Amino acid sequence: MGDGFEGEGTDYSVLLTELPLVVAAGAALPALACALLIRLVRRRRRATATATESEFHE
C-alpha cells in the first residue's frame, strides 16, 4: 500500500500544470459573473428610466 493507487506512483506534476489553471478559473469565473450581473442591472435600469421618461412626455 505504498505506491499509490493500483501500483502507480503519485504524480506531483499536476501541481505545476493544472493548479494554475484552477486558480485562474477560480478568480475569473466570479469576476465574469459579477460583470454580467452589473451589465444586466444597468440595462434594466436604463429600460425602466426610458419608459418612465416616455410617460412624462405624453
Side-chain angles (χ1 to χ4, degrees):
M1 301 260 331
D3 283 340
F5 183 69
E6 294 184 358
E8 296 177 5
T10 304
D11 184 17
Y12 290 108
S13 68
V14 70
L15 295 176
L16 298 174
T17 57
E18 293 184 18
L19 187 61
L21 297 174
V22 170
V23 170
L29 188 62
L32 289 173
C34 185
L36 179 63
L37 182 63
I38 289 171
R39 185 175 183 173
L40 291 174
V41 168
R42 285 183 181 170
R43 184 180 293 174
R44 178 172 275 197
R45 284 185 181 174
R46 257 187 257 144
T48 305
T50 304
T52 305
E53 288 176 8
S54 66
E55 289 175 5
F56 287 130
H57 291 295
E58 290 180 1

